[in-house]
């Protein structure tokens, strides 16, 4: 099958968004819903998913849970056209700081979690005339930042996963792309700032680190995800920076 193109279907598209109860995933759900897509938000906290997205309980670190959530989505909506692999967890420290259990836990959620959801959804994506996967990567995949060795490694893997999957699936009509945000003003960043000795000063420093002078808003990343999922019909294997210029610019 050739690369998919827009408007080949009159049925509403169906998307699954992991981590769709909060932050970037919730914003992606809103942006996709605004485009007429039916959205199932797969999350540990399905009760916190905002309508019109439908919350479905799912732990991406558990293959049985992922398969059962995908089955539930297909039974409810009739198929899956879009996968937004977004659930992720943080880790801080140098290579000396995180023990094996933490390495395995973070890679399990941030990397293998995306593998599990893509793998379970693939048979359904193959039936879609407009199939797309969008992974949430990070600017940390390509920038060395102190004390983020485990988290950055996980996002480097997401970058490679995206490119390799894009190559594997383009000839069956499935596009695979990623967004690479800089810091985004979500509960994730708010939790991190709350732990700082001076949260206000830390927030200003974080804003200043971006050439744009500010963090991105979750809606800005959600729009980029929705664009890659529904409109970018000739785009695959692309890592779209949504980072206020932090990776590419030196002022
Ligand atoms: P968030 O903490 O606001 O939301 C994360 C969501 O993922 C939560 O709803 C949580 O319940 C869910 N989740 C966590 N573990 C899960 C699991 N095992 N199974 C299912 N759901 C799970 O975070 P966010 O800032 O919106 O981050 C979302 C993604 O964006 C992550 O992959 C993160 O690495 C990436 N990212 C965030 C930033 C940032 O600055 N916020 C920057 C770059 C990349």
């Amino acid at each position: 099958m050739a690369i998919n193109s827009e408007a080949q279907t009159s049925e509403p598209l169906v998307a699954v968004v992991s981590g769709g109860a909060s932050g970037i995933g919730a914003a992606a759900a809103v942006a996709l819903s605004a485009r007429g897509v039916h959205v199932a938000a797969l999350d540990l906290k399905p009760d916190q998913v905002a309508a019109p997205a439908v919350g479905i309980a799912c732990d991406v670190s558990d293959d049985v849970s992922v398969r059962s959530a995908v089955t539930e989505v297909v039974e409810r909506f009739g198929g899956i056209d879009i996968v937004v692999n977004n659930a992720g967890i943080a880790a801080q420290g140098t290579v000396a700081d995180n023990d094996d259990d933490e390495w395995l836990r973070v890679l399990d959620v941030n990397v293998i979690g995306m593998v599990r959801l893509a793998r379970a959804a693939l048979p359904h994506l193959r039936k879609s005339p407009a199939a797309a996967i969008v992974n949430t990567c990070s600017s940390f995949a390509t920038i060395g930042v102190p004390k983020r060795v485990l988290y950055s490694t996980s996002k480097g893997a997401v970058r490679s996963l995206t490119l390799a999957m894009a190559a594997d699936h383009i000839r069956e009509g499935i596009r695979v792309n990623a967004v690479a945000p800089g810091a985004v003003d979500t509960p994730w960043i708010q939790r991190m700032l709350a732990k700082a000795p001076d949260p206000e000063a830390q927030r200003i420093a974080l804003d200043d680190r971006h050439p744009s002078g500010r963090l991105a808003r979750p809606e800005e990343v959600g729009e980029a995800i929705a664009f890659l999922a529904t409109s970018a019909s000739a785009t695959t294997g692309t890592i779209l920076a949504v980072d206020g210029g932090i990776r590419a610019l030196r002022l």
Side-chain angles (χ1 to χ4, degrees):
M1 192 189 292
I3 192 165
N4 60 39
S5 61
E6 301 169 67
Q8 287 185 334
T9 173
S10 53
E11 292 293 310
L13 298 175
V14 177
V16 291
V17 181
S18 70
S22 175
I24 293 169
V30 168
L32 287 164
S33 298
R35 286 163 167 79
V37 177
H38 289 166
V39 179
L42 276 42
D43 205 288
L44 297 173
K45 301 169 184 165
D47 47 316
Q48 293 183 14
V49 169
V54 172
I56 292 180
C58 178
D59 178 352
V60 298
S61 70
D62 176 351
D63 196 50
V64 172
S65 169
V66 170
R67 286 185 181 281
S68 133
V70 163
T71 300
E72 191 175 335
V73 173
V74 172
E75 281 171 4
R76 188 161 183 157
F77 294 106
I80 296 175
D81 305 282
I82 294 163
V83 172
V84 179
N85 263 321
N86 167 78
I89 54 175
Q92 298 189 8
T94 72
V95 78
D97 296 327
N98 309 116
D99 64 16
D100 284 8
D101 283 349
E102 191 169 9
W103 272 90
L104 293 170
R105 188 174 65 87
V106 173
L107 295 176
D108 195 17
V109 174
N110 291 9
V111 184
I112 308 176
M114 295 193 182
V115 173
R116 290 187 186 98
L117 183 51
R119 191 169 57 201
L122 209 45
H124 307 290
L125 295 176
R126 287 187 175 121
K127 294 180 197 157
S128 167
I133 298 175
V134 183
N135 299 327
T136 305
C137 186
S138 164
S139 58
F140 287 12
T142 47
I143 308 173
V145 178
K147 296 189 176 158
R148 292 292 186 280
V149 69
L150 168 49
Y151 177 73
S152 298
T153 299
S154 76
K155 292 301 180 179
V158 169
R159 182 182 165 83
S160 300
L161 176 76
T162 302
L163 298 177
M165 284 182 57
D168 280 338
H169 301 297
I170 186 56
R171 288 298 173 94
E172 45 188 14
I174 304 169
R175 298 180 301 104
V176 186
N177 293 289
V179 289
V184 187
D185 197 358
T186 69
W188 172 301
I189 287 287
Q190 286 147 22
R191 286 192 298 272
M192 188 197 81
L193 291 175
K195 287 188 209 150
D198 183 346
E200 182 65 17
Q202 183 76 18
R203 168 68 195 233
I204 291 167
L206 198 54
D207 282 338
D208 284 350
R209 201 187 292 164
H210 295 77
S212 57
R214 65 171 177 83
L215 273 62
R217 294 185 297 276
E219 302 78 43
E220 294 173 311
V221 186
E223 281 296 327
I225 290 171
F227 164 72
L228 288 172
T230 65
S231 302
S233 50
T235 300
T236 192
T238 287
I239 317 293
L240 178 60
V242 192
D243 66 359
I246 199 168
R247 190 187 60 79
L249 307 185
R250 296 292 176 273
L251 301 189

